[in-house]
Amino acid sequence: MSKGAGPAVQRTVVDSPFAAGQKNIWTDIIDKNKVEAKAEAKEKGDQGRPDAVLFVVGAKGAGKTTLVSRFLYPDKTEVPKPTEGMDYNYARKAHPTNIERKDVAHIWEIAGTRQFADEATEQENVFMGMRQVTTAVVLIVLDLSKPHEVLPTLEYWLSRVKSRAEATFGKLEKRSSRLPEQLRARSKKVFGANHDDAKEVGVISHSGVTVVIAATKYDAFKNADAELKKVMSRTLRFLAHTNAAALFYLGGLRGGPKSTSLDTGADDDPAAERDRQLNPFRAYLNHLVFTGADKPLRAKLTPETDHLKPALLPIGSDRLSAIGVPRGGGGGGGGEDALQAWRDVFNQMFPKPAGAVTWVGGGFRAPLEGAGGGGSGGGGGAAPERYPEHEVDAVRNQRQAELEQFRKQQAALRSGPVTAGKAKAVAKKAAVA
């Protein structure tokens, strides 16, 4: 497995390093993996499944890099350095029926600020493009140590996934491709055609892309008041279930090596507790990435819905009737009214600390071209009304101005040789624009 460096990647996303004709560290790694995989497939006469793609997304500091490290190297004890911009890993695994063939998974982590996330997820060659969407899995990482940020962060990323899927599917449909229809049908099959909640139209949203939600740092949240844990659990269960996503609670990821305790149920062993949460997650994500959500899972995972315990819910394993509704939230079921009821009770139980600026509040952009922006996300045009804090608006305007200045400088650099005087003039013009 190989890991790419990320400090200078923020510029490359804006410059679209994956566009035709580009040659850089990212394209070199991907080309090498594709050549090796195709050579092995040709030798064995088996073209197999396309390369898998795993996107790891979430707010800055949520533990994305650590989770990727634990997924790839479960016995590794070192805590990796935080990622800035984008980071790339890849994994290779022996094919289940042909041990001489290797399946490849490309793992992209999108980290950093909200503005960078906006830019990265608008790049078709970076996030869920036509070449990636068939095998794409999106892992949304949430930070339970900052409970007030959990819901807006989750809604933002669910919205970005939905918007990008709609934009990509729209292009495919213009080419008369049946792939979007097939991917949505696959999602419904994975959720369960005979599921009680699948029978009602509009209750479950199937984007066509497999989504897993990992709520990390459970060790910092597990001793919270029982009522707080209930609201957190049921809100996340509602969002996960109605978006056909899986949900896992994970904690202790920055801890030591694997437990050597013979008592795997020991509550006083942090490593054993971490492994009880991490091992089912790794098995499930490994299956989604390398085998596919529509194939049966060999390992038996027992769903956990008790809010006093870490959640473990594969796709389609929950029920709206089991999740319930907030007190005073009206009737059961899904839909925007039910979602708003969960938002209201969540914001009451987890208010934003005075003066705090959330990751989602770092800036708002219009929805992707050709995609609807409403629904359960913070990426659409209606988002500012949902979070109308004045301090957030001030930071948003400042960051947006910085981003526009950066874009203009990039445009000037791409237009040809730039003298020192011209560069200063561009920067000055951008600053006053």
Side-chain angles (χ1 to χ4, degrees):
M1 299 179 187
S2 173
K3 186 173 182 180
V9 181
Q10 192 153 346
R11 174 178 173 181
T12 61
V13 169
V14 177
D15 291 341
S16 188
F18 311 99
Q22 291 291 328
K23 194 71 175 174
N24 49 58
I25 185 173
W26 309 112
T27 57
D28 289 345
I29 293 172
I30 293 174
D31 289 345
K32 181 176 183 293
N33 292 339
K34 288 182 177 180
V35 168
E36 292 178 355
K38 288 180 179 179
E40 291 177 359
K42 183 177 181 180
E43 182 182 349
K44 302 302 176 184
D46 181 8
Q47 294 304 315
R49 184 171 179 260
D51 287 357
V53 185
L54 172 64
F55 296 101
V56 184
V57 300
K60 185 176 183 179
K64 298 182 294 298
T65 306
T66 303
L67 185 54
V68 169
S69 178
R70 288 292 187 184
F71 174 63
L72 295 175
Y73 317 105
D75 298 325
K76 192 174 182 179
T77 58
E78 296 84 357
V79 177
K81 294 181 180 180
T83 298
E84 289 294 339
M86 286 187 68
D87 201 3
Y88 173 78
N89 287 269
Y90 78 92
R92 302 179 71 192
K93 181 180 178 181
H95 191 270
T97 59
N98 185 348
I99 60 174
E100 295 184 6
R101 201 190 87 194
K102 299 290 185 180
D103 291 332
V104 177
H106 306 283
I107 304 173
W108 294 99
E109 179 187 344
I110 300 177
T113 65
R114 161 67 191 276
Q115 290 82 3
F116 183 77
D118 287 336
E119 287 291 329
T121 54
E122 287 178 0
Q123 304 292 325
E124 180 183 0
N125 291 323
V126 175
F127 186 63
M128 287 172 50
M130 289 188 288
R131 296 182 180 181
Q132 303 165 327
V133 73
T134 303
T135 59
V137 176
V138 180
L139 174 60
I140 302 175
V141 184
L142 307 174
D143 185 353
L144 288 173
S145 70
K146 299 177 181 177
H148 63 283
E149 291 205 27
V150 167
L151 181 56
T153 301
L154 176 56
E155 289 201 81
Y156 167 84
W157 281 111
L158 287 173
S159 176
R160 299 309 283 179
V161 171
K162 180 180 179 181
S163 297
R164 173 46 64 195
E166 289 179 354
T168 299
F169 287 175
K171 292 183 178 181
L172 288 168
E173 287 166 347
K174 288 181 179 179
R175 300 183 178 186
S176 300
S177 171
R178 295 187 58 195
L179 181 60
E181 176 186 348
Q182 293 168 350
L183 292 179
R184 292 190 183 103
R186 181 185 68 180
S187 177
K188 294 176 181 178
K189 176 185 175 182
V190 173
F191 186 85
N194 296 322
H195 195 292
D196 293 340
D197 299 329
K199 298 175 182 178
E200 296 188 33
V201 178
V203 172
I204 309 300
S205 174
H206 294 281
S207 68
V209 176
T210 303
V211 175
V212 178
I213 302 166
T216 62
K217 305 184 185 179
Y218 177 69
D219 46 325
F221 184 72
K222 67 178 182 179
N223 295 323
D225 180 81
E227 192 63 25
L228 293 176
K229 294 171 73 173
K230 180 189 290 185
V231 171
M232 177 66 75
S233 173
R234 294 192 177 182
T235 303
L236 292 183
R237 285 172 60 192
F238 179 86
L239 265 296
H241 187 62
T242 55
N243 285 277
L247 173 64
F248 290 81
Y249 277 14
L250 303 171
L253 297 179
R254 287 178 169 266
K258 293 185 69 174
S259 172
T260 57
S261 173
L262 296 178
D263 181 8
T264 57
D267 292 332
D268 57 349
D269 185 348
E273 184 177 6
R274 178 201 65 215
D275 293 344
R276 285 197 301 274
Q277 299 162 21
L278 182 63
N279 291 341
F281 167 79
R282 290 189 68 250
Y284 189 69
L285 187 60
N286 196 306
H287 171 77
L288 295 179
V289 171
F290 284 103
T291 305
D294 55 331
K295 301 296 190 299
L297 177 65
R298 292 183 179 181
K300 181 176 176 58
L301 298 182
T302 303
E304 180 57 76
T305 60
D306 187 345
H307 64 271
L308 299 178
K309 298 178 181 179
L312 191 164
L313 291 158
I315 296 171
S317 63
D318 213 340
R319 295 285 188 281
L320 285 173
S321 58
I323 297 170
V325 294
R327 187 174 301 172
E336 184 65 26
D337 291 342
L339 174 58
Q340 188 58 52
W342 281 114
R343 282 194 197 114
D344 292 341
V345 71
F346 186 94
N347 291 331
Q348 290 173 7
M349 301 297 283
F350 301 104
K352 184 172 71 72
V357 177
T358 64
W359 181 83
V360 169
F364 295 96
R365 293 180 61 81
L368 293 166
E369 182 179 355
S376 61
E385 284 69 34
R386 190 176 299 164
Y387 308 102
E389 297 93 340
H390 296 295
E391 64 270 26
V392 170
D393 293 338
V395 173
R396 179 191 66 196
N397 293 335
Q398 178 185 349
R399 299 306 185 204
Q400 187 65 30
E402 293 174 356
L403 182 61
E404 291 301 324
Q405 178 179 347
F406 176 74
R407 284 173 173 167
K408 291 177 181 179
Q409 291 174 337
Q410 292 298 307
L413 290 172
R414 287 195 295 268
S415 65
V418 181
T419 64
K422 183 178 179 182
K424 290 181 180 179
V426 170
K428 183 177 179 181
K429 183 178 180 182
V432 300

